[in-house]
Structure formats: C-alpha cells, structure tokens
Amino acid sequence: MTKVRAGMTKVVAGMTAALIVAGCASTEARAPKVAAPKPPQDKALLARGEALSALGNCRTCHTRPDGKSYAGGVPFKTAFGTVYSTNITPDVESGIGAWTETDFIRAMREGVDRGGHNLYPVFPYDHFTHVTDEDDRAIYAYLMSRTPVKAPHPHNELVFPVNIRASLGVWKKLYFKPGPHHDDPARSRAYNRGAYLVEGLGHCGGCHTPRNAAGAEEPGRELDGGEAEGWHAYAINARSQAPVPWTEAQMTAYLKHGWQADHGVSRGPMAPVTDELGDVPEEDLRAIATYLVTLMGSHAAQHAPAAAQDTSSEAATIYAGACAQCHDGTQPLPFGGIALPHSIGVSGESPRDLFNVILYGLPAAEGEAAPMMPAFEGAFDDRQLTQLAAWLRVRFSGREPWTEAQLEHELREARRKGGEGARYPAGGNAIDPAKGSSRP
Amino acid sequence: MKLDVNGQVHDIASEPDTPLLYVLRDELHLNGAKYGCGLGQCGACTVLADGEAIFSCVTPVSALGGRRITTLEGLGTAARPGAVQRAFIEEQAAQCGFCIPGMIVRAEALLRAHPDPTEAQIRTALQPHLCRCGTHMRILKAVRRAAKA
Amino acid sequence: MRPARRDFLRRSGALVVSFALSPAARAQQPGGHDADGLPGSLRVAPFLDSWIRIDAGGAITVCTGKAELGQGIKTALLQVAAEELRVPFERLTIVTADTQATANEGFTAGSTSMQDSGTAIRNAAAQVRELLEAEAARRWNTGVEGVHSDGGFAMGPGGQRAAYGELASGLSLHVQAKPASRFVDPRDYRVVNRPIPRVDIPGKVAGDVAYVHDLRLPGMLHARVVRPPGYGAKLVALDARAVESQPGVVKVVRDGDFVAVVAEREWTAVKAMRALAEMAKWQESTRLPDAASMPRVVLGLKSEDTVIHDKRATVPAGARTFEAAYTRPYQIHGSIGPACAVAHLEEGKLTVWSHTQGVYPDRQAIAELLGMPPAKVRVIHAEGAGCYGHNAADDAAGDAALIASHVPGRPIRVQWMREQEHAWEPFGPAMVAKVRAAMDASGRIVDWDYGVWSNTHSMRPGPAGNLLAGQHAAKAFKPAPPRPLPQPAGGGDRNAIPLYAFPSAHVVHHFIPEMPLRISALRALGAYLNVFAIESFMDELAIAAGADPVEFRLRHLEDARGRDVIQLAASRFGWKPGVRAEGGRGRGFAFARYKNLAAYCAIACEVDVDAESGRARLVRAVAAVDSGQVVNPDGLRNQIEGAILQSASWTLYEAVSFDAARVRSIDWATYPILRFGAVPETVEVHIVDRPGMPFLGSGEAGQGPTGAAIANAVADAVGRRVRDIPLKAARLRSTRG
Ligand code: FES
Ligand code: FES
C-alpha cells in the first residue's frame, strides 16, 4: 500500500532496454489553444471528483513540499536524470487548463498528453487505464475547479536516449495493457469495488508489486511487495508478514486515520497516501480493506513467540537507551512508539524500512500534531545498526533471522536512497491528541 | 568506557545506557548541550559525532565509544569564538539563547558538508530544531554569515 | 570583566548587602519621606545605593530587581546607567533579582522593566553623577556648574580630574532620590539608542555557565518529580521500596500527593521516576470540559461583569449593524528548556536558585509552603530558557524547596521533563470576545459594543497554594482566589478598550473565576485575543465599507503616535489601496498600542495559503514600533521579530489538547509549533525614534497585531473569515473537511 513514485529508476532502466527502435517519430501535432473552461458548478460531481483524486493520490506526486497543490514540479530522480511531475491545475499556459475532458480521459486511458505524445510511465496509466469514464469525468471536473497556478514545467533532465519520448512507444507495446476493469461475478460488491480501486485509481501495485528488469510490474506477482522511494512496500496479499493479521475494520481505520492501534502508524511514502485517504468516503476504504484482507487470507500471522535475548549485548543497551523510552513507554499509539512485537518493520520480509525509520526517523508535520521519531542517521555506525536490527528481529518477531548479507545490503540501500521517501510526516491528517489515544 | 570529547579522552563512569547528554552535562560539566525534550524533537541537545549532528538526549553513551564527539565548547570560547559562534554573536542571534547551542552545532555540521549551502539547505538542516523566542530570522542570517566567512 | 561572563553563583554570593526596602521597612528609614512621587521603581526603593554602587577602586555595580529573561534587559539597563553616569559601558557590572541584594521590584512582567527599573536606574545614575560632581566641586572649591563628567572622571574648569572611585570613597550613596534629575541631553547620547551587543550572548554561544540548569553545587543531588496523571488525581498507593533500594537512589520523597525521587545521578533519577510512575496508583476524578466546544464552555461559566468603558452617544438612524465573535484556545508558554531549580537547606536557611519572574513573591510562597520565616529564605534569580510569562519556573522552585526540606544538607537540583512542562505549566487561558458595531453610510463607526470573557491572567505565587507543590503536599494549600487584574493595564480585558475614536463605545469585562484548566500569565495576556478581535473586526468593517483597511484605521484614529506607526508600517511594506498581493497571496494589517499605554506597534504582512490543503504560511512581515526613547535599537528589533514569529506560531498552529481526564498535548509532536520550514522569507522592524520620551515597554507589543494581521491576510487570500485561533489547515481548506 504505497504510492506511486514506484520504481521510477527501473521504469527508466527498462525503457533503455526497449529502445532498440529509436527511429520511431513522435507525433508532434500541436493542439489548438483553448480557453480555460468555466469551473463546473455540479457540487455532487465535484465532491466525487475530490474523493476520487484523493484515492488516486494525485496531490502527492503533483505538489512540491513548498509549492501549491497540484502545481507539479516534483522531481523524480533516476539513474538517467530527473523527470518532473506536471502542473495539473487549470492554468491554461502551464497547467491543464487547455485540456478538454476527452484529452484528460485519453491521458488516463492511454498514457498520452494532449498533443498525443507518450507520457513517462511514472504517471501510472498502467493502472489508471482501468478507471471508468464516469470517474475520470469527476476527477477532471474537480481538477478544473481548482485554483489555477502558474507554474511552468521544469525541463526534464534525462540523458539520451531516454529523453526521446517516442522511445516510450516501444515500452508501452511491451508492457502496457490498456482496458477497463472486470468485476468477478462470484464476489461481493464490496470486493469488486475494492478490486477496482486497488488495481485502478488507487494503483497500489505501483509500489507493492515488484518490477521486472524492464521496470514494469511483474505479471503474476501482484502485490507481492515492491519498492517506493527507497522504501520497501510490504506484501499485501497472501504473503503478508503482518505480525497481527489484518481485519477489515483495522485496515479501514488504518487507511482513514493513518494509524491503527495493532498495526502502528503509516510512514515513509505510505504516509501521504493515508493523509489523502482521510477524506475519502469510508465505504470506499472499507471496500479496499475487504479486497485486500480477502487476498491476505487468515494465515498471515503464524510465527513463533519472540525469543529470549541476552540483555547485555551492545544492541540491547542501544535499545534500552535509545528506543525503550518510547517503544516501551506509557504513551500509547499513535504518538507513543509501537510495541515492537506489533511492528511490520521488525517482522516484515525486508529490514529496509526498519533501517529507514531508524536512520531518518519520522519527521515533524508543519503545524499539525503527528507522530515523530528522531533520526539516528549520525548516531550509530553500520555495525551497530545491523546488530540492532538483527537483535530486534529475534527479540520481537520470532521469525527467521535476517541473513547478514540481507542486512548489509538493505542497510546500504537505505543509506543510499531511503532518505528521499522519509520526508513525509507520519500518520494521517490532523490526528487529535485528545482522541488519538482511543483505539480506532 | 572511554569517550573522546572535544579531542580529550575521558573515562566514563556512567551506566552504559545513559544518554550522552547526561554524561556531557553531569560527568564532564559541559553546558553546551541542553536538555530540551529528551525525545529527539527539539534539537537543543545536538552534538557532533565524527562531524555528524546527533541528538545526545537519545543516544546511549556506550554506542559512541569509537567516535569523536564535538560539543559547542569544542567550537570555540566566548573569548575566541569559532566561525559559527562568531556569526551568531555578530548577528546577535539569540534571545534567551537556550536553543542556540543546538543551532550552532547543526550549522557547523551543515557547513562542513556544504560550505556554501542554499537557503533551502539551511532551512532543511535546521528543521529538527525549535526556537520558542522567535529568533529564527537571525539564526538564518547567522548561518548565512558563517557560510560566507 | 563583563557580568555575563562571571559565574553568577560567585557573583550572588559576593554581593550581600543589607536590603530592607519593603514599603513597611521603608517607613522606618530615618529621614524617609514620601517616596510615592518618585519616578519608576524608585518608589519601592528610594535610596540611590539600591541601584548604583561604587567601590573605592572605581568598580561600578548596577542593581536591578528585574530578571534577564532573554529580552536583553541586562544590556539595556547597563546602557542607561552608563549613559547617565558618563562611564564607558564596559566598566559596569550588573546584579539582577536576588532577595538578598536587590530591590523588590515585584515581577519581571508586562513589558514594564524599562518603565520601572530603567527609569529608576536612569534617575539614580544621573543623581549619583550629580553627587560625584558636587563632591568634586567641593574638593576643588569651585562651583558645581563648572564640573562635568566623562569616562568615569569628574573634570573641573581648571583641568582638574578625579576618578569616581576616589570621589565615592568620601561619599555615601545611601541617599534618598529626588523626584527630578538632571539628565544627559539625548542629543549627547553615546551609549543609549546604540545597538550595543548584548553582554550575555558570547557566554551563551560558547557554553559558559549561563542558566540555572548549568548550576553544579558541591554535593548536589538530582531529583525528578512524579506528577499525577491529571489535575486533582489522588495518590492511592505507592510501594516505593523496590525503587528506593536501587543503587544510586538516595530517597523517594512522598508528601501527600507529591512524589519525587532523589538520586546521585540524573539518569538514575529519570529511570527511577519512570519506575515510580508505573507503580503509583492514582484516583482520577477531574472532569475537564469538551475541548472542541471550549468557546461555548467559556460563555456558559458564571462571570462577574464589569463595565470598563462607557461612553454612550445616540446612534444615528440608518446605521448598519455588524457583529462577530472571536476565540482563542488554551495555549502553552512552551519554554524550550523545561523548568529547573536548585534548592539547598542548610542550618535552617534555605537558598533557592530559580528562573522565577519574581524572587520576592516566590520567596513568600516558598516560606509559606515550608512554614519558614521569609527572612530565612533567599531566592536568587538564575536564568532559564525564555519563559514568555508565568510558566512552570515557580513550580519547579517550589518542588526543589519541598524536596530540599526532606533531604536537608545537600543541594537539590530538580529538572522537569518535557511532558511535565507541557501538561502542568499554567496555560494561557481560553477566551471569547464578542463585538457589535454600527457604521453609518459614510463608512464611519458610530457605535461599538464589546465584551470579553476570560479567566484571570495571573495565578502567580505569593500564596503557596499557587505552587503545584503547595497543592500536592500533605499539608495542602488552596490556590488563592483568582482576581481580575485592574485596568488600565488589565488582564483578560487588556487592550479590550479600543484606541480608536468612536463616538459611542461600551466595553464589558466578563471575568470568570472558575478555571477548568490551570492557567496564568502568558505573554500579552488578554491583549492577544482582544487585539486579534478588534483588529480583525476593523478589517471586516473596512471591507464592508469598501475602504482600504489602512485608511479605514486612520479614519478612526486620532492618536498621533498611533497614526505614525500605521503610516510607517504601510509605507515600508509597500501597501497600496486596492492592490492585491501577487500569486494569490493575501495581505493584512493590524495595529495596537500595548495595554493602551505602552509601545505602539503596527504590522503589515503577507501570507500564502494553499487552498487545497489549507496550509497557511506567513511569508513576509513589516512592523513599525514606537517605544519612546529607544535604549537599544537592535534589542528592540530582536524583541519585535521574536513577537512576530512566536505569535505566528500561536495564531496558525497552537491549541492545548485535552480529553475529559487529562491534558493530551504533552510534547512537540502533540503540540506542534513553528519550525524552520514555515519561517517567513523576510521580517522587517522599523523604529520610530522618540528622543527623550519616556521608555515604553515593548516586549509584548507585537503579539496582538501579528495575530490579527495574519488573520486579515488569510481572509484576504481565501476570501473567508476565520475568527477562531488557531487558523489551522483544517479550518482553511476550500472544500475538504
Ligand atoms: S533535548 Fe534532545 S532533541 Fe530535544
Ligand atoms: S532564543 Fe530562546 S528558544 Fe531560541
């Protein structure tokens, strides 16, 4: 369950592999300039559009931390240079103010811009293609009703040949499967609604599905666990390693509030997702939960009780001096630290996020109450960190210990790129400390 | 255990899980690092470990045996202030001054890594630090001045 | 050597002089005549040597009963003294609040230090110089007119020179002050109105001993208090044996509901405190009101109403009526350094080092708490982190004193934890203001009706019951009954009377004695909400009148100095009627004269609001201030800048969070304040120079105008008025939530 900035590096890497036919000319047809349409006044339509764009998490990728909502310009760093997200406010010059509804639907469906040029697949049209016209229309209406912001698109800084958009055509031919979502008649309405949202607009697989060498989501491995901005996006299907099996109610609450008493707080690139979902109708969140919990099944949490651990090791002392006051303290979630036996960070398939959280902490939210954790980046060396992670794993999860190689590799990766995705304040939107302590 | 603070090696008697902050203040009688929250939320206790800024309030001393710790005192004295300290004096960047040591140490770490930081880099670096007196504008000026010095 | 570089411990130990200057004691002074006509704090301490002392070696010490709270008061007072004495600034040292060494100047609060102490020191210094010059004239057998002073010397007409120290040795400065002094002509100022660098900053940026937190007395022990989970909780059971037998733990103090642990080392005390907190069983009873409906709760509490302004005129027919209500929540002082104190009981004498704002009232409270004669208790001010009013400083002093009484013989250092400071400090009270106005067709306000509902804004010590230790100890003291602070300064009604010239105006202070949460003085007191309300409403009326907000204010303001700061702020900001800020930003303006009798301050600002998320950010602020004769322009700027940034944080983000049983905002995650990510791009402060005019307090002048200017700018940006502080994202979102 993480948002889409997904394996952008891989997407671009995959594109080079697919660039055997670089001669393919782009269709440079310039579309005529159109005056900004009048904002539509249909309140119900706008409200639906708002909820849908929150489900699609448009804002996160299209808003700089210091910028106006939807005005784009967020850099996506890759091994081949930087791609910037676009301005999707209705500004005619720099945004999508000149786009017609048809242009918009075509972009969602086919992954092309108004002029017919292929879009970089960092825009997840491999999922958005499943969104219905009706939903696209609502999203379009909502975006068009936003305040136009003049914010010219920074020039993408990509190296040859990735900088030739036409090359994207090849990638699309190989990996892009356009078309609508099909319901499973044997399943409940909620399940089908959940499946539609997860696979379509919610584009959960963008992060939670592993990608192949060409940077495309691996067919057959949907939601097996993937990567986002240097963070591991946990498996959210039958392979889930959650220490407490998710229930529908728990997951609904988690998506809505950004935390749940038995599962902790959302953090890393998942945090802005739950932040957006706070405003989505609960019914939709429950549908997502129904679908995902069905996928997970009931066998998620079979593990041995945690092992006794020696308390005199260096890792144990670090835990006592640095971790215990919050993770073993009296302050309950979401503002107190999670009791580590409940932490997916400790019991999950990869130690990456455990390292990310220890290294970069949970940053403060500007002016909003939100869970915080200090960054220990400079405090501990690699040996201490791997020992600490190994110790926590054995002490609190009762799962197979992580191998030394795995620990070293994941720590290296976390140091290399995890900081980027660690900038999001944890939790959902505006948690009230007076209510936060009651279990949602 | 032994601990290297401001270039001097000390024998430490405190228990191994004691946060560095209490060792610095109570055992070594150094005042620079301040207790502000003990939770890693305010930055008042910031010191350098091998040049990197850390919160001394949540770092057990035993983890720092092999590291070189630098506190505010290691950057200069009132009579001979270091470059960052001098910039803070010249900008009169303090009201109560309680948050300032942490800011100075953080700025020192920033300037070692980025001698010519952008405005955004300065603000991002100082994000873990709180000032309640509202001295922020002067703190920013002081860091800019130190970068130019 | 400059005072800040000296260890204040040694300092305060060295300078012990007899000090019997309470009004009662003063009446017994030989030759004491009525001191009430004297300026500033000379009224409470009319002898010159209470303020200025010169030893034979020529060392000059300035004494003040006020305390350095980070406002730069030491430097400013030294400047005043140096100027009037005609002595180089560097030659002076200063002693601040100490019950055994300085005058009883009450509290360092309300931006009155320059008015009280500054005025006293200015007069005392000028009169000491006169005495020295007269002494020189006597020695030289010449007329006093021919003698002048410079550089610490008196100089005669024939080139004679005598050092102050030499002259002072033949002279007693234990002389009653006169009501008037012969001052240095402001045109000849060399120290005053100069940006003299603050004396305390070099030591603070180098890690010298600067705060009470840094005190280390021989044999000192570390203590932590175990606070109840909430107000009014009673300790039912506590088995402290396991903790008490831990190595390094000296004692577990239990005195009624007051629990503390004393240990050799600080970390041992922290761990023991946590262990005790886990073991203690409390019975919680207090029902706190619903935080979300606080304004309704405030209006529903019983109030004692006083008309504080009543100027009725008939309202012309046809005037349009407008009304609105404005609210603020409970907010914290939020010192960056939690409270700390050291107390030492030895041979029946108790010494307490505290960052209290009032050493004398604190002494009185501690003496009552321990049943000791006040003369056996000495309270010495030692700096803390900025306090912004009455925070937990006095409580920590009370804690230290009570613990020291159980562990006599060794100095006890008590340090509050972050969560204790957040939950237990006395908050700034929640308030409501309602205003109704009538405006004629020409856009003139013809009637103004204003009411403000508030608790008191001072539950300071004096009485032991105002200390937490006093409330929790076995021999418990009740808090003193709350009282409204009197006009013209006022408390909840501070700045409730508009400064504008309305033909008809009526203002009521609805004083609410019942205090659901623990409260006391937070910087600016009621002025923060009253200025927020008045200046927001002026903006709303200006919009209704189709007038420019700056012009609309000037239209209603006769006070010339007020008009000056408004015009200066507007012009430096580049305010132009009808011109919108760029990029969808909003601009706003506000003005007030603090307490209606201290500094004038006008602020223009620009905010950026992201309509989708509702996040507002102060981008730019321009202030103009008139604080009479300026002593240190850089210090004044520093204060106003600080006020703007602090008030921006209050206004945009802050509210105490609590449920029925407990305060829930207990750290910086649950009670967020401004961080660097949202700090403005620029803040400018412009000063109106008023040479020779009386000092006007300015430490709290900026808070009210900043809050209102931000609210007005937000309304300008989003086209919608938010009247409830804080202006949080959720309240500003265009469609969400
Ligand atoms: S005291 Fe360490 S971060 Fe606040
Ligand atoms: S100067 Fe007082 S907290 Fe920053």
Side-chain angles (χ1 to χ4, degrees):
Chain A
M1 270 175 287
T2 321
K3 51 168 246 2
V4 166
R5 293 214 172 149
M8 179 53 195
T9 317
K10 276 197 175 175
V11 172
V12 179
M15 273 161 37
T16 13
L19 272 177
I20 344 146
V21 214
C24 189
S26 78
T27 41
E28 284 291 332
R30 199 146 290 280
K33 258 196 185 137
V34 184
K38 265 213 170 107
Q41 283 308 310
D42 182 343
K43 282 245 166 79
L45 180 70
L46 292 184
R48 237 165 25 86
E50 178 177 16
L52 290 166
S53 48
L55 276 162
N57 202 235
C58 312
R59 185 205 308 269
T60 308
C61 289
H62 289 276
T63 308
R64 292 170 56 97
D66 55 346
K68 294 275 192 186
S69 287
Y70 303 116
V74 179
F76 292 80
K77 289 203 189 99
T78 77
F80 299 90
T82 305
V83 185
Y84 293 89
S85 66
T86 51
N87 178 349
I88 54 168
T89 71
D91 183 58
V92 175
E93 295 287 323
S94 59
I96 58 167
W99 289 46
T100 63
E101 190 181 76
T102 317
D103 293 336
F104 182 79
I105 294 177
R106 190 165 64 139
M108 295 285 281
R109 244 317 121 66
E110 297 168 22
V112 292
D113 71 9
R114 195 166 70 96
H117 309 106
N118 286 322
L119 293 166
Y120 287 104
V122 68
F123 175 61
Y125 48 82
D126 48 341
H127 290 276
F128 290 171
T129 186
H130 305 315
V131 179
T132 63
D133 284 2
E134 197 193 340
D135 283 354
D136 279 343
R137 265 185 224 117
I139 296 169
Y140 174 77
Y142 173 71
L143 290 176
M144 284 302 168
S145 72
R146 302 297 83 202
T147 320
V149 178
K150 186 171 264 1
H153 188 247
H155 198 69
N156 290 337
E157 299 137 12
L158 292 170
V159 296
F160 181 83
V162 191
N163 55 354
I164 297 171
R165 278 189 187 254
S167 60
L168 289 164
V170 181
W171 189 92
K172 277 170 90 172
K173 275 220 180 63
L174 291 170
Y175 304 113
F176 177 46
K177 306 270 171 294
H181 168 81
H182 297 290
D183 279 0
D184 178 349
R187 297 286 191 168
S188 70
R189 248 187 61 172
Y191 175 95
N192 279 312
R193 174 75 181 155
Y196 165 74
L197 290 172
V198 166
E199 287 162 19
L201 198 52
H203 62 285
C204 307
C207 300
H208 288 274
T209 298
R211 291 179 186 267
N212 63 21
E217 290 178 27
E218 268 185 62
R221 296 202 54 198
E222 287 82 9
L223 307 180
D224 270 2
E227 192 178 317
E229 293 182 83
W231 286 61
H232 179 70
Y234 295 103
I236 49 171
N237 55 16
R239 305 169 72 101
S240 164
Q241 303 285 304
V244 178
W246 284 96
T247 68
E248 225 175 86
Q250 287 171 352
M251 189 173 293
T252 309
Y254 175 81
L255 294 174
K256 187 170 177 59
H257 302 291
W259 71 281
Q260 201 281 328
D262 296 309
H263 295 272
V265 302
S266 71
R267 71 280 196 276
M270 186 62 196
V273 177
T274 52
D275 193 0
E276 287 289 285
L277 294 182
D279 295 329
V280 163
E282 201 162 320
E283 211 186 315
D284 281 343
L285 300 181
R286 209 172 304 120
I288 293 174
T290 303
Y291 176 64
L292 291 177
V293 169
T294 309
L295 291 188
M296 287 177 181
S298 54
H299 58 280
Q302 297 157 351
H303 59 96
Q309 271 279 67
D310 72 298
T311 50
S312 58
S313 69
E314 191 180 353
T317 311
I318 290 179
Y319 178 79
C323 320
Q325 91 161 301
C326 294
H327 289 280
D328 224 356
T330 48
Q331 167 92 316
L333 279 169
F335 296 104
I338 189 171
L340 294 181
H342 285 187
S343 165
I344 181 81
V346 176
S347 72
E349 55 268 28
S350 161
R352 175 80 66 87
D353 295 354
L354 181 60
F355 286 132
N356 279 331
V357 167
I358 296 173
L359 287 173
Y360 309 113
L362 308 180
E366 191 65 57
E368 300 283 352
M372 280 179 78
M373 174 173 155
F376 288 94
E377 195 177 358
F380 306 127
D381 62 25
D382 286 2
R383 184 187 53 84
Q384 290 168 329
L385 285 167
T386 47
Q387 282 182 3
L388 178 64
W391 186 86
L392 293 172
R393 174 82 162 180
V394 175
R395 173 77 181 78
F396 294 112
S397 85
R399 295 206 201 262
E400 282 289 285
W402 286 310
T403 66
E404 217 155 284
Q406 192 183 10
L407 287 165
E408 279 164 19
H409 171 76
E410 295 298 333
L411 175 58
R412 211 167 30 245
E413 288 298 288
R415 285 229 191 249
R416 199 161 68 84
K417 53 189 181 182
E420 185 57 11
R423 68 179 183 280
Y424 305 104
N429 59 51
I431 302 174
D432 179 354
K435 302 201 179 100
S437 49
S438 55
R439 294 166 73 93
Chain B
M1 67 169 288
K2 301 228 183 281
L3 188 67
D4 178 339
V5 181
N6 300 330
Q8 246 184 298
V9 178
H10 301 265
D11 281 307
I12 299 302
S14 296
E15 286 170 62
D17 65 343
T18 308
L20 174 64
L21 175 67
Y22 297 115
V23 176
L24 295 174
R25 294 190 59 87
D26 299 337
E27 217 181 313
L28 306 183
H29 294 193
L30 295 169
N31 305 306
K34 304 280 192 271
Y35 172 80
C37 66
L39 303 162
Q41 296 178 348
C42 76
C45 63
T46 305
V47 301
L48 302 179
D50 292 336
E52 280 190 79
I54 65 166
F55 300 124
S56 66
C57 71
V58 288
T59 309
V61 64
S62 60
L64 297 163
R67 315 284 293 277
R68 279 171 300 120
I69 305 300
T70 309
T71 70
L72 182 73
E73 289 88 345
L75 304 181
T77 62
R80 289 168 169 273
V84 183
Q85 289 165 323
R86 201 171 330 115
F88 273 71
I89 296 171
E90 281 164 1
E91 291 294 343
Q92 291 286 289
Q95 288 185 56
C96 77
F98 204 85
C99 69
I100 299 299
M103 305 272 182
I104 290 176
V105 171
R106 177 73 61 172
E108 177 78 22
L110 170 72
L111 296 177
R112 285 186 193 180
H114 306 277
D116 189 15
T118 62
E119 181 68 17
Q121 279 175 321
I122 297 174
R123 289 179 185 235
T124 306
L126 293 174
Q127 185 70 359
H129 293 254
L130 293 174
C131 172
R132 187 55 161 168
C133 294
T135 315
H136 305 75
M137 306 311 295
R138 286 169 182 242
I139 293 166
L140 290 170
K141 267 193 217 147
V143 178
R144 278 182 229 129
R145 179 190 274 262
K148 284 206 199 88
Chain C
M1 183 190 248
R2 295 234 195 129
R5 316 232 183 112
R6 300 170 58 182
D7 179 346
F8 53 65
L9 230 196
R10 272 183 283 125
R11 178 210 77 192
S12 49
L15 222 138
V16 181
V17 294
S18 69
F19 230 85
L21 294 161
S22 67
R26 177 167 18 105
Q28 298 158 12
Q29 294 281 329
H33 61 70
D34 179 25
D36 290 347
L38 293 174
S41 287
L42 286 172
R43 272 192 295 276
V44 297
F47 289 90
L48 298 183
D49 66 347
S50 303
W51 305 97
I52 309 283
R53 288 169 210 157
I54 303 177
D55 74 14
I60 306 178
T61 307
V62 178
C63 302
T64 174
K66 299 290 183 179
E68 178 66 71
L69 310 173
Q71 79 284 45
I73 195 69
K74 283 186 189 169
T75 309
L77 293 175
L78 284 170
Q79 281 179 265
V80 168
E83 191 68 82
E84 293 298 341
L85 284 165
R86 300 260 102 175
V87 169
F89 177 81
E90 299 74 23
R91 291 264 299 276
L92 302 183
T93 55
I94 190 162
V95 173
T96 59
D98 176 345
T99 54
Q100 217 167 89
T102 66
N104 182 355
E105 290 196 82
F107 296 104
T108 306
S111 305
T112 56
S113 294
M114 288 314 292
Q115 275 156 289
D116 296 349
S117 212
T119 302
I121 288 170
R122 183 175 182 224
N123 279 277
Q127 293 184 29
V128 165
R129 174 176 40 80
E130 288 177 57
L131 287 177
L132 294 166
E133 288 173 356
E135 170 69 7
R138 191 186 61 78
R139 289 192 189 181
W140 298 328
N141 239 330
T142 165
V144 75
E145 326 74 53
V147 179
H148 74 283
S149 311
D150 203 4
F153 294 93
M155 257 127 11
Q160 306 96 317
R161 249 165 86 96
Y164 280 1
E166 190 193 326
L167 292 170
S169 60
L171 207 61
S172 168
L173 297 184
H174 192 66
V175 174
Q176 272 240 6
K178 301 172 296 181
S181 315
R182 190 160 54 79
F183 293 123
V184 170
D185 187 326
R187 281 171 302 192
D188 297 336
Y189 278 172
R190 290 179 224 155
V191 191
V192 164
N193 204 7
R194 295 278 186 287
I196 304 278
R198 265 173 48 183
V199 294
D200 55 335
I201 289 182
K204 284 176 175 175
V205 303
D208 291 357
V209 171
Y211 304 93
V212 66
H213 308 74
D214 304 333
L215 276 186
R216 285 177 205 97
L217 304 188
M220 187 172 81
L221 297 170
H222 291 274
R224 288 293 184 283
V225 179
V226 181
R227 289 274 173 235
Y231 299 134
K234 294 269 156 229
L235 184 60
V236 181
L238 173 64
D239 182 355
R241 277 171 304 184
V243 170
E244 207 151 16
S245 62
Q246 276 171 17
V249 171
V250 174
K251 191 180 176 88
V252 172
V253 173
R254 181 171 170 185
D255 189 335
D257 297 320
F258 181 90
V259 180
V261 58
V262 182
E264 295 285 350
R265 288 205 180 126
E266 199 167 3
W267 181 238
T268 312
V270 172
K271 286 201 285 189
M273 171 201 72
R274 288 191 190 139
L276 286 169
E278 241 169 78
M279 279 179 284
K281 303 251 174 311
W282 300 88
Q283 190 188 351
E284 293 184 69
S285 59
T286 307
R287 300 296 299 172
L288 299 179
D290 177 22
S293 48
M294 212 43 222
R296 208 153 11 97
V297 174
V298 168
L299 293 174
L301 292 170
K302 225 169 79 62
S303 69
E304 296 164 10
D305 302 347
T306 315
V307 177
I308 58 168
H309 184 70
D310 196 11
K311 182 173 128 191
R312 301 278 196 183
T314 23
V315 179
R320 282 194 296 163
T321 316
F322 301 85
E323 58 186 340
Y326 302 85
T327 72
R328 69 177 277 193
Y330 291 101
Q331 293 178 319
I332 67 168
H333 298 78
S335 183
I336 290 300
C340 181
V342 177
H344 190 190
L345 180 64
E346 211 179 15
E347 291 161 12
K349 281 198 185 136
L350 178 72
T351 308
V352 181
W353 289 262
S354 165
H355 50 114
T356 174
Q357 288 182 291
V359 285
Y360 283 92
D362 204 24
R363 175 178 75 166
Q364 190 186 326
I366 288 168
E368 187 187 350
L369 172 71
L370 302 183
M372 290 173 74
K376 295 268 185 214
V377 179
R378 178 182 183 189
V379 179
I380 303 170
H381 180 265
E383 274 187 66
C387 63
Y388 328 110
H390 175 210
N391 67 353
D394 296 294
D395 292 316
D399 293 344
L402 185 56
I403 298 167
S405 76
H406 287 270
V407 189
R410 291 182 73 175
I412 304 293
R413 177 182 183 273
V414 176
Q415 163 76 68
W416 277 31
M417 305 300 285
R418 169 50 55 199
E419 61 273 18
Q420 295 173 336
E421 182 91 2
H422 262 72
W424 284 95
E425 65 146 273
F427 307 130
M431 293 171 67
V432 178
K434 286 185 176 181
V435 54
R436 190 157 46 78
M439 190 159 65
D440 69 14
S442 72
R444 281 203 158 266
I445 297 165
V446 290
D447 188 33
W448 180 271
D449 198 347
Y450 186 94
V452 57
W453 283 256
S454 176
N455 281 152
T456 180
H457 285 251
S458 177
M459 290 300 288
R460 293 178 182 277
N466 287 9
L467 299 175
L468 281 180
Q471 294 165 17
H472 294 160
K475 179 173 174 266
F477 297 82
K478 281 231 168 323
R483 265 188 250 292
L485 304 171
Q487 283 286 331
D493 56 346
R494 180 166 291 180
N495 276 87
I497 301 172
L499 204 62
Y500 297 104
F502 301 139
S504 172
H506 186 247
V507 180
V508 181
H509 178 204
H510 305 268
F511 169 71
I512 301 167
E514 189 185 327
M515 296 169 288
L517 274 75
R518 185 168 194 248
I519 56 94
S520 194
L522 171 62
R523 210 169 179 189
L525 312 191
Y528 173 55
L529 181 75
N530 289 319
V531 173
F532 177 81
I534 292 173
E535 289 294 299
S536 291
F537 199 55
M538 285 298 281
D539 212 64
E540 297 193 49
L541 292 173
I543 293 165
D548 174 69
V550 171
E551 186 276 318
F552 188 76
R553 284 177 171 80
L554 292 172
R555 190 188 286 185
H556 290 95
L557 188 68
E558 285 166 2
D559 188 309
R561 291 172 75 173
R563 295 177 64 90
D564 284 352
V565 293
I566 290 178
Q567 278 156 340
L568 181 62
S571 84
R572 292 306 175 101
F573 179 82
W575 188 281
K576 296 209 177 53
V579 177
R580 305 278 326 245
E582 277 172 33
R585 289 176 174 179
R587 47 168 214 174
F589 198 94
F591 154 80
R593 179 182 193 190
Y594 184 52
K595 296 198 251 186
N596 287 347
L597 46 78
Y600 295 82
C601 182
I603 290 176
C605 77
E606 196 170 303
V607 302
D608 196 2
V609 185
D610 180 52
E612 316 304 330
S613 64
R615 266 197 331 206
R617 178 186 160 210
L618 176 63
V619 181
R620 180 165 84 95
V622 175
V625 59
D626 170 356
S627 65
Q629 170 68 56
V630 177
V631 175
N632 191 321
D634 188 63
L636 176 58
R637 274 194 207 98
N638 201 354
Q639 286 279 291
I640 301 291
E641 283 171 29
I644 291 171
L645 278 278
Q646 187 177 67
S647 181
S649 180
W650 292 356
T651 306
L652 293 172
Y653 306 139
E654 298 182 26
V656 170
S657 178
F658 51 94
D659 60 20
R662 299 179 187 180
V663 172
R664 295 292 180 183
S665 43
I666 56 166
D667 58 11
W668 301 119
T670 45
Y671 188 98
I673 63 171
L674 180 74
R675 285 181 184 268
F676 275 91
V679 159
E681 285 161 13
T682 59
V683 173
E684 291 169 29
V685 179
H686 301 282
I687 297 172
V688 180
D689 193 21
R690 300 285 184 199
M693 299 274 245
F695 306 130
L696 297 180
S698 50
E700 301 159 292
Q703 272 78 4
T706 300
I710 289 175
N712 294 338
V714 163
D716 186 44
V718 304
R720 197 158 44 84
R721 179 67 54 173
V722 179
R723 302 189 181 92
D724 302 300
I725 297 169
L727 281 63
K728 278 187 108 64
R731 286 179 170 150
L732 301 182
R733 274 178 203 173
S734 56
T735 53
R736 307 210 308 172

